[in-house]
Amino acid sequence: MPLDFVPEVTVLLAEPGAAPAWSWNLITDIQEMWSFPFMVNAFRAGAVVAVVSAAMGYFVVLWRQTFAAHTLSTVAFPGAAGAVLFGISAVYGYFAVCVVAAPEHRSGVARVSGLLE
């Protein structure tokens, strides 16, 4: 695929030595990697997501809601994709599909476990 539509990328790829050269010195490579602001931001965002996911995951397993959590995440992805397709924010698609799917899942679990009979 030609990169003619993005001249900056074409120039960077065409220049010799434009790509960072990895060395056998791991410390130097990590210091070079951390010199880029986007890598620092990515690490910060990843750390926040990891801590929040660990805390939420603990309670999901504690309350025995792993099936519900997996189902809602699987169902919500097409909702986000549909929202983006219609030009709406993906967050609204996630929220709308989860609100619609959660009562259906909850009543199905209650029926299967015998709580609503």
Side-chain angles (χ1 to χ4, degrees):
M1 176 181 201
L3 295 175
D4 297 336
F5 59 90
V6 184
E8 298 84 22
V9 174
T10 306
V11 171
L12 288 176
L13 292 177
E15 294 177 7
W22 295 100
S23 68
W24 287 104
N25 188 352
L26 184 61
I27 303 298
T28 303
D29 290 341
I30 291 175
Q31 287 174 342
E32 183 179 348
M33 180 180 68
W34 287 108
S35 68
F36 298 109
F38 72 91
M39 289 300 295
V40 175
N41 290 336
F43 179 77
R44 288 177 182 160
V48 169
V49 168
V51 169
V52 171
S53 297
M56 286 179 59
Y58 172 78
F59 289 107
V60 165
V61 172
L62 184 68
W63 293 332
R64 297 181 180 163
Q65 294 294 317
T66 54
F67 181 71
H70 177 75
T71 302
L72 287 177
S73 64
T74 302
V75 167
F77 180 74
V84 170
L85 182 67
F86 290 118
I88 305 169
S89 174
V91 174
Y92 295 125
Y94 277 127
F95 184 73
V97 172
C98 284
V99 165
V100 170
E104 294 296 324
H105 172 73
R106 189 71 179 149
S107 64
V109 169
R111 240 181 275 130
V112 170
S113 65
L115 295 176
L116 291 180
E117 293 179 357

